[in-house]
Each structure stands twice: as structure tokens, then as C-alpha cells.
Amino acid sequence: MMDKQVLENPHDPFLESRAPATPFELIDDPAGWTRAELAKTNAWRHDLTDLEIDDVRSAVAGLSADGVNLMSLGRDDFPLPHLVNTLRDIRQELLYGRGFILFRGLPIEELGKRGAVAAFWAISQHLGDGVLSQNKRGHVLGHVTDLGHTKANPSQRGPYSNEEIPFHVDCADIVGLLSLETPISGGESRLASSVTIHNELLKNRPDIVRTLAEPFYRDRRDEIPPNMEPWYKLPVFNYHQGYFSASIEPTYIGSAYRFGPEFAMTITQKEALAAVQSAAKEQSFEMGFQLGDMQFLNNHVIFHTRLGYMDRDEPDRKRHLVRIWLRALSGRPLSDPFYERHGTRDTVERPGGIIGSDTILNAPIDRE
């Protein structure tokens, strides 16, 4: 194991509690939690206090009206005096600590759905350094609901169905979700530490860890940046400057074969992805997802999934989450393949987001 003094990161407040991540060795990282450990604590949850709710209430007053452009409002527009220091600490916990947080207590009925979305936007501005597009249409607020899609269609994506989604990550440093409507049953959100998965696989199947550290072809699913291929390559397990990061997208990896036989997974790669899913299920932590909950997680150290669900018949009562993708300029160092998804390290300030040929960022407050 490398000496701890080798790891120097001015942004990381947890340097004393981690060791540098060395390829194909056990990783000592605060994000390496187990399901059993989390079951003993509520440290992963922040219940909003009355004063913090007052902050939010004041910050979003008037923002539920028609015509409000959230894109014009940033961190400085939401001072949140009683909440700001807590959000600063939570941001550090997201980037370098446990890797996720659940906020509970947002008064949806009082704020209304549009006011709740504005509150979600306000809190997100303090946790990230700008929003990222979630599709080629430039949506920085995504409305996750069943649109009758299926992930089996290579031009569609799983969040817009009621199907179970395999453990995966999103294309951002931080992904946030706000619960506006819950289903009749199912739809549970589950998280797993990719650090713990790496370590468990290393103990039992080190050959699989080496496979996962090699590039996997991934399908862009017809959302192609200008002058780039409809596919890209990125390992599942990555090590860079003493930090571990993971990225798994089974649906995007699984459909890359449509570009030719050389893009199809090998038998070894299929076995490796199945092993990750199995380990994630074994270590997954389900926190519950109530109306008004806001979940934020670090995609580089957390895999997440959503179970299948039974929805309501009324269109306005169907399961509805609002999603935001955030970049964090002071986030953990990332290897070159993360940047090469979008360009190069010289041309991309921080990798993330989905850009098409004519993408313009916009923030739709209402479900389409």
C-alpha cells in the first residue's frame, strides 16, 4: 500500500481517514460502507428543522409562478442562512465521505409542486457547481415518470418506464432526486457502495476486478455530441491520483453490440457485470422514499437502482420524481476516459452531462 503522504488533495477533508487507492488492492475509503453499518445509524439522513424550512420558504417565495426561469438563479440567489453551513458540510460528505444524503421534511403540500421544485433547485445550487443536461434536449431538470418507454429500445431510457432498473450510475458528479408523487407499490430506491463492491470482488474474484478495470464499449443511445462517435469506452473500475471511481451502465453497455460484433461484450465481461449486480444486491441499502424526500448521491462511489412499481391511474398522481445532475469542480480526481466521453482533459473543465448537436440548456419545472 502506498504511503498516506503520497495522497494530497486540498479539497478532501477526509485525508486522514483514507489511504491512496492502488490498482487491484483493497480500497480504504470513507465511501466503503456496508448495508449492515448503515442500518445502525441515521447519519445518512438530514431532517430539515423549522428554521431551515423557513429559509427555504423565504428563498422560493414567488418562484412557483408561471414564467419563472430557474436557469437564471444560482447559489448567490439562495442565501439560506440557517442551512448554508449544513449544506457545505453535506457537499463534502457527498464528494469525499459516505457519498449520499437524504433530506426529509420538505413541506410539499404547503409549497405546491412547483414551489417544491424551486426549493430542490435552491438546495442543489449549494451542493454543486452548475447543472448538467440530462438529454439531447438540454433538460437540466428531468421528470422521471412512466411514459410507456422500455430500456429494451436503444433510443429510450429506463427511467421513463415502470420497469426495474439494474444498478447503474448517471453521467454527473452528483445526481439529485425529489419525490413529488409516490406509486401504489414498489419503486424503492436502493444504493450500494461501489468501493465495497470492488473490495468484495477483489477478495473472491480478483480476475473479475481486472476485467472491470478494462474499457467497456457503451452506447450513447442516439444522444451523440457533435463530432463524436455514437459509442464511447470507459472502464467500470478506475484509479487515478490515489482515488477510486466507478461507472456502470448495464443498459448502455448491453446495447453497444448494435454497432458491430467488435462492440459486443465478451463472455468474461458479461460474467463481470453479472458479478457486480449480484454484489450490489447483496450490499444494497434501501432508505425508503417518502413524499418530499430529496436524495443526493455521488455517482463515482455509489451505484443505485429503482425497483419496478405499480402506478396510479390518475395522470397527475403517477409516480413522479424530479432529477438534477450536478457537476462538482472540486470533486475527486477522474481518469482520462471520463473526459474522453465528452472531449479531452484539455477541452472539458469537468466531465458530465449529455449534449446533442443543437442542445440548449433549459429547466422545465412542470412534467411534460
Side-chain angles (χ1 to χ4, degrees), residues 235-366:
V236 174
F237 290 159
N238 300 266
Y239 314 87
H240 184 65
Q241 294 184 1
Y243 287 86
F244 169 82
S245 296
S247 172
I248 191 166
E249 300 165 301
T251 303
Y252 292 68
I253 293 171
S255 62
Y257 72 89
R258 69 189 180 115
F259 301 116
E262 69 272 26
F263 294 89
M265 281 187 286
T266 65
I267 293 175
T268 303
Q269 287 179 321
K270 290 180 180 179
E271 181 187 14
L273 284 193
V276 170
Q277 293 295 316
S278 177
K281 288 179 181 178
E282 185 175 331
Q283 282 296 338
S284 66
F285 178 72
E286 183 180 314
M287 64 180 65
F289 217 25
Q290 300 178 10
L291 194 67
D293 281 356
M294 294 177 286
Q295 176 197 89
F296 292 87
L297 60 87
N298 183 335
N299 283 296
H300 306 308
V301 292
I302 303 291
F303 293 159
H304 63 281
T305 186
R306 186 219 56 219
L307 301 187
Y309 62 90
M310 180 182 295
D311 222 337
R312 304 179 192 278
D313 293 330
E314 306 94 320
D316 291 341
R317 295 296 312 283
K318 288 184 176 294
R319 181 181 185 269
H320 182 193
L321 305 180
V322 179
R323 182 178 59 199
I324 196 166
W325 286 359
L326 302 170
R327 66 176 182 173
L329 298 179
S330 59
R332 63 181 53 216
L334 299 173
S335 58
D336 286 347
F338 284 94
Y339 289 82
E340 290 165 1
R341 177 175 181 174
H342 308 279
T344 67
R345 189 176 290 275
D346 292 335
T347 60
V348 177
E349 183 178 24
R350 182 75 180 177
I354 295 174
I355 300 294
S357 58
D358 54 358
T359 298
I360 298 175
L361 298 187
N362 60 101
I365 296 180
D366 297 308

Side-chain angles (χ1 to χ4, degrees), residues 15 27 32 88 144 154 207 244 341-342:
L15 283 175
I27 296 170
R88 186 179 300 116
V144 180
D207 58 315
F244 169 82
R341 177 175 181 174
H342 308 279

Side-chain angles (χ1 to χ4, degrees), residues 48-124:
L48 294 169
T49 68
D50 290 342
L51 288 175
E52 291 170 345
I53 292 172
D54 285 342
D55 276 359
V56 173
R57 187 182 290 115
S58 298
V60 303
L63 295 185
S64 61
D66 291 340
V68 170
N69 180 16
L70 293 178
M71 288 296 301
S72 67
L73 302 174
R75 185 181 301 164
D76 292 343
D77 296 297
F78 305 107
L80 304 175
H82 296 100
L83 187 54
V84 64
N85 290 334
T86 296
L87 292 178
R88 186 179 300 116
D89 292 341
I90 286 174
R91 171 187 162 101
Q92 294 295 78
E93 190 72 50
L94 284 170
L95 297 182
Y96 290 104
R98 180 180 54 251
F100 74 93
I101 189 70
L102 182 78
F103 291 93
R104 181 157 288 167
L106 189 69
I108 289 246
E109 291 186 359
E110 174 194 337
L111 295 173
K113 290 183 180 180
R114 291 171 63 87
V117 172
F120 178 57
W121 179 273
I123 288 172
S124 298

Side-chain angles (χ1 to χ4, degrees), residues 116-269:
V117 172
F120 178 57
W121 179 273
I123 288 172
S124 298
Q125 300 310 302
H126 286 270
L127 297 178
D129 301 309
V131 293
L132 295 164
S133 174
Q134 299 174 35
N135 54 39
K136 61 186 177 183
R137 293 184 291 170
H139 292 172
V140 300
L141 285 177
H143 292 269
V144 180
T145 192
D146 182 12
L147 299 178
H149 290 188
T150 172
K151 60 182 181 290
N153 183 333
S155 293
Q156 297 178 352
R157 292 158 63 184
Y160 308 116
S161 73
N162 64 355
E163 302 168 336
E164 180 172 347
I165 302 175
F167 281 94
H168 66 285
V169 301
D170 289 358
C171 187
D173 291 309
I174 297 169
V175 55
L177 291 170
L178 163 67
S179 175
L180 288 182
E181 290 287 353
T182 57
I184 294 174
S185 63
E188 292 86 356
S189 173
R190 292 182 179 175
L191 311 181
S193 163
S194 54
V195 176
T196 298
I197 292 168
H198 170 279
N199 288 346
E200 290 300 308
L201 291 176
L202 189 64
K203 294 174 188 176
N204 301 308
R205 290 291 305 272
D207 58 315
I208 281 180
V209 173
R210 290 187 176 274
T211 296
L212 293 166
E214 298 171 355
F216 280 66
Y217 284 107
R218 307 183 185 211
D219 185 355
R220 294 187 190 272
R221 297 215 147 199
D222 298 334
E223 296 183 305
I224 307 167
N227 305 314
M228 302 200 79
E229 301 287 350
W231 51 266
Y232 61 100
K233 294 189 294 183
L234 177 64
V236 174
F237 290 159
N238 300 266
Y239 314 87
H240 184 65
Q241 294 184 1
Y243 287 86
F244 169 82
S245 296
S247 172
I248 191 166
E249 300 165 301
T251 303
Y252 292 68
I253 293 171
S255 62
Y257 72 89
R258 69 189 180 115
F259 301 116
E262 69 272 26
F263 294 89
M265 281 187 286
T266 65
I267 293 175
T268 303
Q269 287 179 321

Side-chain angles (χ1 to χ4, degrees), residues 2-28:
M2 297 168 61
D3 186 88
K4 280 194 175 186
Q5 296 302 316
V6 175
L7 187 60
E8 296 182 2
N9 185 339
H11 305 297
D12 185 352
F14 297 93
L15 283 175
E16 296 302 316
S17 60
R18 75 167 79 247
T22 302
F24 314 119
E25 293 188 12
L26 293 176
I27 296 170
D28 179 10

